[in-house]
Amino acid sequence: MGHTLFEKIWETHAAAQTAGGSTLIAIDRVFLHERTGAAALKRMAEMNRAVRDPARVFAVMDHIVDTRPGRGDGTLMQGGEGFITETRAACRAAGITLFDVNNRDQGIVHVISPEQGIVLPGVTLVAPDSHTCTQGAFGALAWGIGSSEAEHAMVTGTLRLEKPKTMRVTFDGTLQSGVTAKDMILTLIASYGAGGGAGHVVEFAGETVRGFDMEARMTLCNMATEFSAMTGLIAPDTKTYEYLAGRTYAPAYFDDPYWAALKSDEDAEFDQEIVIDAGTIAPMVSWGTSPEHTIPVDGKVPHGPARTHEYTGLDAGVPLAGTPIDVAFIGSCTNSRISDLRRAARLLDGRTIAPSIKKAMVVPGSLSVKRQAEAEGLDKVFLAAGFEWRMSGCSLCFYAGGEGFPEGSRTISSTNRNFEGRQGPGIKTHIASPETVAASALAGAIADPREYMRQEEAAA
């Protein structure tokens, strides 16, 4: 019997079996951020333990950094300056590469790791952030860990794991206009539940996935954690290697037999298989307080938990489209790359957001993305439409204090989570693709981006 992609990576990284039956897995890369990095490094120093191989450990300022134009050297979060200054000092002492607040390569960890060629096919990569699974798009085994696990990985180069089960999710068919990778992953979660991937590594496969560029693949893998999977991954191919070629930390060539073998064998067996016709997927928007509370934008709110209806203020049976919104947000490790910004800007070009919108923001995923967008004039499109154009960082993907949306606002957001209070006290978050966020900002209410696309086609 053949092996899955996951099994091949697992077996090449299995260092030892423990007495309890778990496996010590060799860790190739560790990525830290300022919310937890300093604490981990400080505890290691207190116990007189050093980073085993500083060249394999990286850190970034991204979670709580100020993203306002002309930002200084810190954060708006009360007490947050300590996280930044302590991380800076700890990284310097440990000899770790740090992408500091105003380093030209700074950005969200899961955006800059691929940009720099830090993640590579077949490696194991961990970070104290649940969306580390984003980097599985490169055929890497990448997953989120806790701070104490980060310490263990940095000191020993290994982590102890129970071997997860395998699942293959196959998307075949051609996407409709206006439908994206974000809509695909939301469809999966809505169809099989937020716990549907629990205990599994999910391999995304099929002709739809193979047709994606790397940025769309990253969006798909990003929300594997919202499916409760350990991680998501996609077999690397020519597109993967072309994307990584010339990156700072990537090798010059990808002709090693190990890379050529990074795919699931034809006779490999998965513990679970799911097949979805991508051609049937519509633009998706969440209506409740979990990513599984998601329906097509032209659908009606279903019956859900009473608390969810109470919090969102949406009754069962009402159309989701047309629900007034107050705030529009484009950003996060899910949808802040150059292709995301291009698609949203294309829809906004020559249009202005509704007067009822209290705040609209675009936060590029990295300073590199920001520079590229500005070189293409996308910043001018967003500004003319009424959006703020920000510096890079996690920003208001989650509420860390310091900066926030007006309390109780209803937000349409390209982020990944719509939990109660995720974006601030009383904020009602509807997660969607960048196109749907842009369309809704124009309408002042949840709107179908295909309507604006049809207008463009008719005008042409």
Side-chain angles (χ1 to χ4, degrees), residues 338-410:
I338 190 64
S339 58
D340 298 310
L341 305 190
R342 285 172 181 158
R343 296 196 314 271
R346 188 177 304 123
L347 195 146
L348 291 167
D349 196 11
R351 299 183 170 112
T352 306
I353 64 175
S356 59
I357 300 296
K358 299 174 184 176
K359 194 177 189 68
M361 296 168 55
V362 178
V363 184
S366 71
L367 290 182
S368 177
V369 170
K370 183 175 184 289
R371 288 192 299 272
Q372 186 171 354
E374 289 171 350
E376 297 177 14
L378 303 186
D379 59 322
K380 294 181 175 61
V381 173
F382 286 116
L383 289 166
F387 277 79
E388 295 180 22
W389 179 247
R390 293 291 193 109
M391 303 290 282
S392 64
C394 294
S395 187
L396 282 164
C397 171
F398 70 102
Y399 180 72
E403 184 177 22
F405 299 133
E407 187 170 348
S409 296
R410 187 178 298 278

Side-chain angles (χ1 to χ4, degrees), residues 39-398:
L41 292 169
K42 184 178 179 180
R43 279 192 296 268
M44 288 167 55
E46 289 172 348
M47 293 184 286
N48 201 29
R49 292 174 176 169
V51 177
R52 178 172 179 167
D53 186 354
R56 293 174 179 243
V57 182
F58 303 83
V60 65
M61 307 292 195
D62 66 345
H63 271 57
I64 61 169
V65 295
D66 180 6
T67 62
R68 295 175 304 174
R71 72 178 173 202
D73 194 34
T75 174
L76 297 176
M77 174 183 169
Q78 186 174 3
E81 287 291 346
F83 289 101
I84 291 177
T85 57
E86 290 177 12
T87 298
R88 187 175 291 140
C91 288
R92 187 181 302 116
I96 292 171
T97 298
L98 170 65
F99 299 94
D100 212 334
V101 178
N102 289 309
N103 182 301
R104 66 178 279 106
D105 296 320
Q106 180 269 345
I108 303 171
V109 53
H110 316 305
V111 177
I112 66 169
S113 177
E115 283 180 350
Q116 296 299 312
I118 293 169
V119 64
L120 295 171
V123 305
T124 52
L125 185 151
V126 295
D129 186 288
S130 59
H131 292 101
T132 305
C133 53
T134 306
Q135 301 180 57
F138 291 84
L141 184 58
W143 72 99
I145 57 174
S147 183
S148 60
E149 290 176 300
E151 295 171 39
H152 192 281
M154 287 190 283
V155 172
T156 70
T158 65
L159 280 176
R160 184 176 63 185
L161 294 173
E162 300 291 334
K163 189 175 183 180
K165 295 181 179 179
T166 57
M167 177 188 296
R168 179 163 57 191
V169 178
T170 302
F171 289 96
D172 284 323
T174 302
L175 292 175
Q176 301 176 42
S177 176
V179 180
T180 70
K182 179 69 162 288
D183 303 304
M184 289 167 58
I185 189 64
L186 286 173
T187 295
L188 172 67
I189 297 168
S191 301
Y192 292 89
H200 291 75
V201 165
V202 176
E203 179 175 342
F204 295 105
E207 62 177 336
T208 315
V209 176
R210 289 193 297 272
F212 278 160
D213 62 21
M214 294 310 300
E215 297 194 350
R217 294 181 188 185
M218 283 186 262
T219 294
L220 193 61
C221 288
N222 176 268
M223 292 186 65
T225 188
E226 275 71 46
F227 193 46
S228 295
M230 172 191 169
T231 190
L233 74 170
I234 296 171
D237 57 14
T238 302
K239 293 179 182 178
T240 313
Y241 303 128
E242 288 177 349
Y243 177 98
L244 290 169
R247 306 281 177 177
T248 302
Y249 294 93
Y253 303 100
F254 290 91
D255 54 0
D256 189 292
Y258 175 62
W259 283 311
L262 288 174
K263 57 185 177 181
S264 292
D265 298 326
E266 289 188 9
D267 58 344
E269 293 185 3
F270 291 80
D271 294 300
Q272 188 172 348
E273 295 260 16
I274 293 174
V275 179
I276 296 176
D277 181 357
T280 65
I281 297 173
M284 302 290 284
V285 182
S286 70
W287 65 269
T289 55
S290 164
E292 72 179 11
H293 297 152
T294 300
I295 59 175
V297 65
D298 55 2
K300 294 183 178 180
V301 175
H303 287 279
R307 170 60 187 170
T308 301
H309 289 291
E310 179 185 348
Y311 185 81
T312 63
L314 297 177
D315 295 328
V318 302
L320 188 57
T323 302
I325 61 166
D326 306 299
V327 175
F329 182 88
I330 296 175
S332 83
C333 58
T334 316
N335 284 125
S336 63
R337 299 172 184 84
I338 190 64
S339 58
D340 298 310
L341 305 190
R342 285 172 181 158
R343 296 196 314 271
R346 188 177 304 123
L347 195 146
L348 291 167
D349 196 11
R351 299 183 170 112
T352 306
I353 64 175
S356 59
I357 300 296
K358 299 174 184 176
K359 194 177 189 68
M361 296 168 55
V362 178
V363 184
S366 71
L367 290 182
S368 177
V369 170
K370 183 175 184 289
R371 288 192 299 272
Q372 186 171 354
E374 289 171 350
E376 297 177 14
L378 303 186
D379 59 322
K380 294 181 175 61
V381 173
F382 286 116
L383 289 166
F387 277 79
E388 295 180 22
W389 179 247
R390 293 291 193 109
M391 303 290 282
S392 64
C394 294
S395 187
L396 282 164
C397 171
F398 70 102

